[in-house]
Amino acid sequence: MRGALVIFRKDLSIEWRTREGLSSVLVLGLLLLVVLTVAHDAPPEAAPALAPSVLWATFLFTGLLGVQRGFLLERENDCLAGLLVSPVDPAAIYVGKLGANVALLAIMQLFVVPLVGLFLHLDLMPVLPALLVVLALGNFGFAALATLFAAISVRVRAREVMLPLLLLPLLVPLLIGTVSATRSVLAGGLALATDAVTVLVAFDVIFAVAGWLLFAYVVRD
Amino acid sequence: MSGVGIRGAPPPLVAEGLVRAYAGVRVLAGVDLTVEAGETLALLGPNGAGKTTLLRVFALLLRPSAGHLALFGVDARSAPPALRRRLGYLAHESFCYPDLSGAENLAFHARLFQVPAARERVDALLAWAGLETAGRRPIRFYSRGMSQRLALARALLHEPDLLLLDEPFSGLDPAAVETLQERLVTLREAGRAIVLTTHDLDRAAPIATRTAILHRGRIASVLDGRGADDVAAAYRAVVAGGR
């Protein structure tokens, strides 16, 4: 796992230096939030019902952009081949890229979630710990699957189209789980979201293990 | 051949009947080749002969469609990741991140390969490549020759036992070519095995202990330690004769 840590640190170091991924993700997130909240123009009492869909729709589209950017780094100068000729297990490359994607998406969530509360006049503080659990599970599951599929799509010509086409159908259970869990959390707490959280945990475990096992076959010709 | 390999140790590279096909087209059509420790093999061939594909197979980046490849006696199909520590590969691309400096790129690869005393090794290779000052700048601003020198430093970083160099003289000025030739001779004399592809016979001939000509996906001819003129004549005969 030493190799995973080296790759994780390298990705964050490049992101910190360029801030290209983060800035584009944050701008897109802000735009989506504005569009979605203005379009609905919901009264305060409708906010708890609306917030989950606004939150996760924003997360989904910004996440796609962020994860794709993470693999474009490896495309320039064929850097992915540079990782593959090193004595690092491909599974460790997956873990390093996954960790970097989770970190990027977590920063995006830290930015987007307070704005959702602000735009929808929703006090998130009382449910924040439970909400953080759902956000973390949604983030990890999305990144686990998206990291694997970004590695596939980055090698094809129409990569901007291929990633959503490949990824979105498989993300449906995760999106249903996260929206449902977030709605339950906003209605009363994590206790109400047990079923949805179970789905999220299962999704996270299945696709993290699948990514770990399949990454080598995906990245090698 | 000036082999100085360890007696009884398996050769660094043994290829038998290697085939690689893309969409049904056989780029490699049965390559048989052995490279011993302490030799430099120059691989020549016209454009599209399969040189780059062959080197990518040797570097474990491509799986052969058929045939057998053994590196240091280990079957490539079951090669553990640790085996790659013994391989150094220079490709057409540098494998370096444009937003990191030359020194940061080398330090990153040194960590991947767990190079001991990495900082000293990185500094020494930057000095060898003539990039002491430029090494602190993002490589996005490097010229073609500077990128090639950095890529060579990256391939040499972990002192590999088998060095695979795809067009190593490309983009280099005459002084850098001479420095590289000296380095490759030193490495060969220290028992390393080197395979390099090139179109530049004059630069490869002085350092190659053997020359193989790849044509239409097969090794058409192998020459032992000849001068550039002999190699050029053999090359022309193979390519013109369509052997």
Side-chain angles (χ1 to χ4, degrees):
Chain A
M1 279 302 96
R2 195 177 178 279
L5 194 61
V6 171
I7 291 164
F8 171 75
R9 284 175 53 190
K10 178 267 297 172
D11 273 15
L12 292 193
S13 159
I14 292 176
E15 186 52 49
W16 176 251
R17 181 160 306 174
T18 63
R19 294 187 179 89
E20 279 175 14
L22 204 54
S23 56
S24 53
V25 158
L26 295 183
V27 170
L28 178 65
L30 182 63
L31 287 174
L32 283 168
L33 276 180
V34 170
V35 169
L36 292 172
T37 50
V38 168
H40 284 96
D41 192 21
E45 61 274 13
L50 185 60
S53 56
V54 170
L55 178 63
W56 288 104
T58 306
F59 176 84
L60 178 67
F61 291 111
T62 52
L64 281 171
L65 181 68
V67 169
Q68 199 150 42
R69 151 82 189 158
F71 261 95
L72 287 178
L73 281 181
E74 306 299 344
R75 194 180 157 79
E76 229 175 330
N77 291 342
D78 205 5
C79 288
L80 184 58
L83 299 180
L84 294 173
V85 296
S86 76
V88 173
D89 193 306
I93 299 174
Y94 171 76
V95 173
K97 300 298 292 181
L98 170 61
N101 284 335
V102 166
L104 178 73
L105 296 175
I107 293 170
M108 186 268 286
Q109 286 178 322
L110 284 176
F111 174 75
V112 164
V113 171
L115 288 180
V116 168
L118 185 71
F119 289 179
L120 294 175
H121 312 289
L122 200 59
D123 182 11
L124 297 174
M125 286 311 287
V127 294
L128 193 58
L131 187 59
L132 284 176
V133 171
V134 176
L135 289 170
L137 288 172
N139 177 345
F140 186 81
F142 176 88
L145 193 56
T147 302
L148 182 63
F149 279 87
I152 299 172
S153 69
V154 80
R155 300 157 68 88
V156 299
R157 226 179 305 172
R159 66 188 73 90
E160 292 82 4
V161 181
M162 284 307 286
L163 181 61
L165 278 180
L166 292 169
L167 192 58
L168 290 176
L170 288 169
L171 278 175
V172 169
L174 181 91
L175 291 173
I176 293 172
T178 51
V179 169
S180 169
T182 307
R183 191 186 302 125
S184 302
V185 163
L186 293 177
L190 206 54
L192 297 175
T194 314
D195 289 348
V197 166
T198 307
V199 170
L200 293 181
V201 170
F203 188 98
D204 288 11
V205 171
I206 288 167
F207 284 106
V209 172
W212 168 275
L213 294 175
L214 297 177
F215 193 77
Y217 299 97
V218 165
V219 292
R220 286 198 190 283
D221 282 318
Chain B
M1 191 194 318
S2 59
V4 289
I6 301 165
R7 193 178 295 275
L13 191 154
V14 177
E16 291 167 348
L18 278 188
V19 173
R20 173 70 198 195
Y22 292 101
V25 178
R26 293 187 359 152
V27 178
L28 301 178
V31 172
D32 297 302
L33 195 65
T34 299
V35 180
E36 301 285 348
E39 79 162 317
T40 299
L41 177 83
L43 194 59
L44 307 180
N47 293 335
K51 302 186 295 294
T52 295
T53 300
L54 185 58
L55 246 60
R56 286 180 84 84
V57 171
F58 290 165
L60 305 176
L61 277 173
L62 288 179
R63 292 191 198 93
S65 309
H68 178 253
L69 173 66
L71 299 172
F72 303 99
V74 178
D75 187 335
R77 284 171 299 190
S78 57
L83 182 70
R84 292 190 210 112
R85 193 169 289 123
R86 302 186 72 181
L87 309 179
Y89 176 48
L90 173 82
H92 289 179
E93 304 280 0
S94 69
F95 297 169
C96 291
Y97 296 91
D99 295 308
L100 298 181
S101 70
E104 288 168 332
N105 268 295
L106 291 187
F108 168 68
H109 284 278
R111 284 193 286 274
L112 286 182
F113 281 88
Q114 298 183 33
V115 174
R119 184 178 291 243
E120 291 76 11
R121 181 85 182 135
V122 166
D123 287 343
L125 279 166
L126 283 175
W128 171 77
L131 296 170
E132 298 102 316
T133 310
R136 311 296 153 194
R137 292 205 308 267
I139 68 155
R140 192 176 288 286
F141 305 111
Y142 281 18
S143 68
R144 168 81 183 96
M146 289 161 78
S147 292
Q148 180 74 351
R149 282 184 273 147
L150 181 70
L152 282 162
R154 182 200 53 73
L156 296 170
L157 187 63
H158 53 289
E159 303 187 84
D161 295 318
L162 172 60
L163 201 49
L164 306 164
L165 307 173
D166 200 352
E167 301 284 357
F169 305 113
S170 171
L172 298 183
D173 59 40
V177 167
E178 201 172 314
T179 306
L180 176 60
Q181 285 173 324
E182 286 168 9
R183 184 79 174 212
L184 294 181
V185 169
T186 307
L187 287 169
R188 174 171 56 78
E189 287 172 352
R192 296 329 203 267
I194 300 166
V195 180
L196 62 90
T197 72
T198 186
H199 291 287
D200 195 336
L201 302 182
D202 291 333
R203 287 171 169 174
I207 58 169
T209 52
R210 272 199 306 159
T211 304
I213 300 171
L214 187 68
H215 189 47
R216 295 181 181 164
R218 293 177 194 276
I219 300 293
S221 177
V222 179
L223 308 162
D224 283 318
R226 307 275 185 84
D229 292 342
D230 287 349
V231 173
Y235 179 84
R236 278 194 297 273
V238 166
V239 174
R243 275 201 275 161

